[in-house]
Amino acid sequence: MTNNKHILNWIDEMSAMTKPDRIVWIDGSEEQAEALRAEACSTGEIIKLNEELLPNCYLHRTAINDVARVEGRTYICTPTKDEAGAINNWMDPTEMYAKLKKLYTGSMQGRTMYVIPYSMGVVGSDFAKYGIELTDSIYVVLNMLIMTRVGTNVLEALGDSPDYIKGLHARADIDEENRYIVHFPQDNTIMSVNSGYGGNVLLGKKCFALRIASYLGRKEGWMAEHMLILGIEYPNGETKYITAAFPSACGKTNLAMLIPPEIYRNKGYKVWCVGDDIAWLRVNPEDGKLYAVNPENGFFGVAPGTNDKSNPNALATCMRDTIFTNVVHDTKNNTVWWEGLNNNPPQPGNAIDWKGNPWDCTKFDKKDKSTYGAHPNSRFTALAQNCPCISSEFNSLKGVPVSAIVFGGRRAKTAPLVYQSTSWQNGTFVGSIMASETTAAAAGAVGVVRRDPMAMRPFVGYNMGEYWAHWLNMGKNIPNPPQIFHVNWFRTDDEGNFIWPGFGDNLRVLLWIIKRCEGKIDADLTPIGYVPKAEDIDVEGLDGISLDTIKELLSVDTESWLADVENIKEFYALVGDSVPAELKEELAALEARLSK
Ligand code: GTP
Ligand code: SPV
Ligand code: MN
């Protein structure tokens, strides 16, 4: 399929090590994809679902010990530890290559190695970057065919160039103790072994489009961020674009596909999804604005909680051409189910849980994870083009102009519904102090507040302090920069219930954000930044939300912010000497304002 010597030599080297029985090149054709689906069905790797109800949809179960990203086993192997920084796991590259070689050697014996040429971004566009993933998993091939642009045109675009990202994935024994997700930024190389789960093995996604791309972005003057991209179309036909960085399982997919509340729909407001997880951002020299593209081709979305009220667009998207991972199998209808889909779970005798065991929905207990039918991090892999609200700019070569960048997290207390930073530098600071309660998207405890700067803590491919410095530098090079905001949909009352209705109603907050970008509305300056006047958050048509509720949601509690400042100081100390002086000044100034 190619005469590119760099690619051919590398594949020779990798296959000499892994020793597959066969090598198959993935060409992006439907015929080949169909043959692979049939093969994976015959071995039980995937299950074909009801063709009438869920055309071209499949179910896959991962190993029980392999259900989320593993941050503890994810490494950035730069020549020095300092380059990777204190937040990343690091090992000397030579040592790591030697360790991995042992794990990969002979790991594909009796198996097939698939060669997947893929593009992140539209093939041939200025934003596009190319990769080749070698894998021994058909599940990975089928997911990559949805999540990225795969095919021979990628090899044509590459020609004889050595400029591509190498990715090697082997399932090996799915041994947790020997699971490694490793990045060698200087070598444009990603190596993943002993996992078969999503973010660990779909190497175009977090490994390439965030970790390696963030490294390249700093070198080349652009940004790779864990951000959704959405467009708000106003009744006059104008569309404004927002990007938003929330940590994993904190609402990016939901916000990106939101359906406006009825009163706004009636007025003619529409929301269009450009991306739900990753944004690549560059300055456009023509108008001096920051432009964003979504480098992905599909969605790897959280299933639990997705329903026809919370996210009808996501639900419609995964009704065809979708791979479901770790959800409940309804064996009577040959369909799928997950917690929060509806109130009609498949009954005992007709239900298989994510582990592959018979499931009894009557034993469900929210507090006991062992009674769940679907894993909390179960997912759907679905094509962006099947999304009813996909933006007409999804395949745009130059991207969309960004009016606002929004940071956010899950905070039961402290963070108000929304606030605006006072400058790019202050906005970078707001991103750097982001915190969120942990979720099931990564292995480990759930619900613990941890600092997650720019929602990139697990995804920066170099030193966190230098990443912040890159943000500050970018700001100096954007003549018309976006305004920077922070939101929190997750404040709770004393009983632990969410106060803000969220989902579609989040549009009400986005509309305030755009008004601020256009300088159309005043706000109150507080120690943390600009907060809306309560009456400027429109609550028309919202049940049970009074002006007082909004005031409570917008309140800035000095005591809890001062406690947060102490935690931020510890976090900055952990990041170490690389924290830019500007951000330390911002922190000192915040503390001084809060202490007044
Ligand atoms: P990744 O794919 O892991 O990066 O996650 P994501 O940021 O795209 O998260 P997603 O939109 O899938 O949301 C995850 C969870 O947050 C789901 O359980 C949603 O129901 C919940 N969620 C999303 N938006 C809101 C909201 O506005 N309010 C509340 N209360 N919950 C929300
Ligand atoms: C996330 O965890 O942020 C995801 C899912 O988007 S994964 O691809 O597994 O990283
Ligand atoms: Mn994500």
Side-chain angles (χ1 to χ4, degrees):
M1 293 229 303
T2 179
N3 295 318
N4 183 316
K5 286 204 184 59
H6 310 283
I7 296 176
L8 296 176
N9 290 344
W10 171 63
I11 295 176
D12 280 350
E13 210 185 307
M14 295 302 106
S15 57
M17 175 167 72
T18 55
K19 301 192 174 64
D21 284 12
R22 304 190 295 156
I23 297 180
V24 171
W25 289 71
I26 302 301
D27 59 17
S29 70
E30 182 47 34
E31 299 75 58
Q32 189 185 40
E34 190 50 35
L36 287 170
R37 288 180 203 120
E39 185 181 339
C41 284
S42 74
T43 61
E45 186 176 350
I46 58 175
I47 297 167
K48 174 148 180 66
L49 298 168
N50 186 319
E51 180 63 23
E52 253 135 63
L53 298 173
L54 295 168
N56 196 27
C57 289
Y58 296 83
L59 169 65
H60 172 78
R61 293 186 206 105
T62 63
I64 291 165
N65 73 2
D66 189 26
V67 293
R69 285 182 293 101
V70 279
E71 295 177 8
R73 311 208 60 93
T74 300
Y75 285 77
I76 304 294
C77 294
T78 43
T80 66
K81 176 161 171 47
D82 205 41
E83 267 175 278
I87 302 296
N88 284 311
N89 300 308
W90 175 86
M91 201 184 283
D92 172 71
T94 315
E95 203 182 314
M96 181 58 97
Y97 277 125
K99 187 190 244 327
L100 291 173
K101 187 167 185 184
K102 284 196 194 125
L103 298 173
Y104 281 111
T105 296
S107 64
M108 294 191 191
Q109 260 162 8
R111 305 176 64 87
T112 302
M113 175 192 271
Y114 300 95
V115 180
I116 313 171
Y118 67 96
S119 176
M120 301 313 291
V122 178
V123 179
S125 73
D126 287 348
F127 277 89
K129 298 256 174 207
Y130 307 123
I132 299 204
E133 176 163 356
L134 309 179
T135 178
D136 58 355
S137 158
I138 298 182
Y139 170 74
V140 168
V141 174
L142 297 177
N143 273 273
M144 287 293 284
L145 284 166
I146 296 171
M147 294 305 296
T148 71
R149 294 165 173 93
V150 173
T152 40
N153 59 340
V154 172
L155 295 170
E156 281 154 23
L158 261 171
D160 294 328
S161 166
D163 190 13
Y164 69 97
I165 305 300
K166 307 176 176 92
L168 176 65
H169 166 244
R171 287 172 51 84
D173 308 311
I174 312 287
D175 170 8
E176 272 175 289
E177 302 299 312
N178 281 307
R179 186 168 297 156
Y180 286 95
I181 319 299
V182 186
H183 310 72
F184 301 93
Q186 275 85 354
D187 301 342
N188 285 335
T189 296
I190 305 159
M191 298 179 93
S192 163
V193 66
N194 275 309
S195 173
Y197 179 81
N200 296 333
V201 299
L202 310 179
L203 301 184
K205 196 171 175 60
K206 300 296 156 94
C207 299
F208 177 168
L210 288 179
R211 298 195 189 96
I212 297 285
S214 62
Y215 175 87
L216 294 174
R218 180 186 49 163
K219 217 164 62 176
E220 299 166 4
W222 55 281
M223 305 163 93
E225 300 294 335
H226 193 197
M227 290 177 177
L228 68 92
I229 311 165
L230 66 78
I232 303 175
E233 185 182 327
Y234 285 74
N236 69 2
E238 227 187 316
T239 302
K240 299 282 181 189
Y241 294 92
I242 291 178
T243 65
F246 308 156
S248 303
C250 289
K252 288 183 301 300
T253 304
N254 279 273
L255 191 69
M257 298 180 188
L258 83 77
I259 293 185
E262 194 181 347
I263 53 161
Y264 284 94
R265 285 203 304 278
N266 292 343
K267 287 181 198 158
Y269 285 84
K270 291 181 185 135
V271 171
W272 301 106
C273 171
V274 183
D276 82 326
D277 198 49
I278 297 176
W280 285 0
L281 303 143
R282 285 174 189 263
V283 186
N284 183 327
E286 274 163 37
D287 59 8
K289 291 183 183 166
L290 195 62
Y291 276 65
V293 299
N294 168 14
E296 301 193 277
N297 191 51
F299 309 118
F300 185 59
V302 177
T306 305
N307 60 52
D308 59 8
K309 300 239 159 28
S310 65
N311 195 345
N313 283 319
L315 201 60
T317 309
C318 64
M319 285 296 118
R320 60 188 313 120
D321 311 319
T322 296
I323 301 169
F324 296 95
T325 301
N326 292 341
V327 298
V328 178
H329 189 194
D330 174 338
T331 51
K332 187 167 166 216
N333 299 308
N334 195 21
T335 54
V336 289
W337 191 87
W338 51 77
E339 280 74 15
L341 174 63
N342 54 40
N343 293 324
N344 313 310
Q347 294 304 300
N350 297 326
I352 304 288
D353 70 10
W354 69 270
K355 295 178 181 169
N357 299 323
W359 180 61
D360 184 347
C361 61
T362 63
K363 302 237 163 78
F364 177 77
D365 170 6
K366 194 168 193 279
K367 290 194 197 86
D368 180 359
K369 291 269 148 70
S370 74
T371 67
Y372 285 33
H375 188 275
N377 192 36
S378 55
R379 301 228 169 206
F380 54 83
T381 317
L383 282 165
Q385 72 193 41
N386 285 347
C387 179
C389 62
I390 196 70
S391 165
S392 58
E393 299 302 305
F394 173 68
N395 284 314
S396 158
L397 300 185
K398 67 171 199 175
V400 295
V402 181
S403 297
I405 292 176
V406 180
F407 294 122
R410 272 178 198 267
R411 293 298 294 272
K413 304 278 172 250
T414 316
L417 180 63
V418 58
Y419 67 101
Q420 181 186 11
S421 68
T422 53
S423 64
W424 180 274
Q425 173 174 309
N426 178 249
T428 301
F429 170 69
V430 168
S432 81
I433 67 168
M434 259 172 72
S436 195
E437 290 147 24
T438 50
T439 67
V446 168
V448 183
V449 175
R450 74 160 181 176
R451 307 241 75 96
D452 189 351
M454 284 83 172
M456 284 287 280
R457 182 179 182 135
F459 307 122
V460 179
Y462 58 102
N463 187 310
M464 183 62 76
E466 277 161 31
Y467 165 76
W468 293 339
H470 179 51
W471 262 82
L472 294 170
N473 280 335
M474 284 296 300
K476 292 179 189 129
N477 295 318
I478 314 172
N480 297 308
Q483 297 288 311
I484 301 177
F485 298 79
H486 188 283
V487 299
N488 178 22
W489 316 138
F490 299 93
R491 264 213 194 182
T492 54
D493 61 20
D494 294 339
E495 277 90 56
N497 304 306
F498 296 120
I499 305 171
W500 177 247
F503 301 99
D505 289 309
N506 292 332
L507 179 67
R508 298 166 188 272
V509 174
L510 300 185
L511 292 176
W512 179 81
I513 285 174
I514 295 295
K515 277 192 196 142
R516 286 295 294 170
C517 293
E518 294 177 329
K520 283 186 183 159
I521 199 166
D522 284 338
D524 293 328
L525 187 58
T526 74
I528 63 167
Y530 292 105
V531 170
K533 296 180 183 299
E535 58 275 18
D536 288 337
I537 300 294
D538 178 22
V539 292
E540 195 192 334
L542 264 189
D543 264 359
I545 302 280
S546 64
L547 201 60
D548 282 341
T549 319
I550 298 292
K551 279 186 184 147
E552 187 192 336
L553 284 165
L554 293 172
S555 63
V556 178
D557 176 49
T558 310
E559 286 308 305
S560 54
W561 271 91
L562 281 169
D564 225 33
V565 165
E566 291 311 310
N567 187 269
I568 297 163
K569 285 182 191 165
E570 280 169 35
F571 183 63
Y572 273 18
L574 176 67
V575 175
D577 293 341
S578 60
V579 177
E582 292 93 325
L583 298 190
K584 289 184 195 153
E585 285 159 23
E586 288 283 345
L587 179 56
L590 171 65
E591 186 173 20
R593 290 192 301 268
L594 288 164
S595 304
K596 245 189 215 153

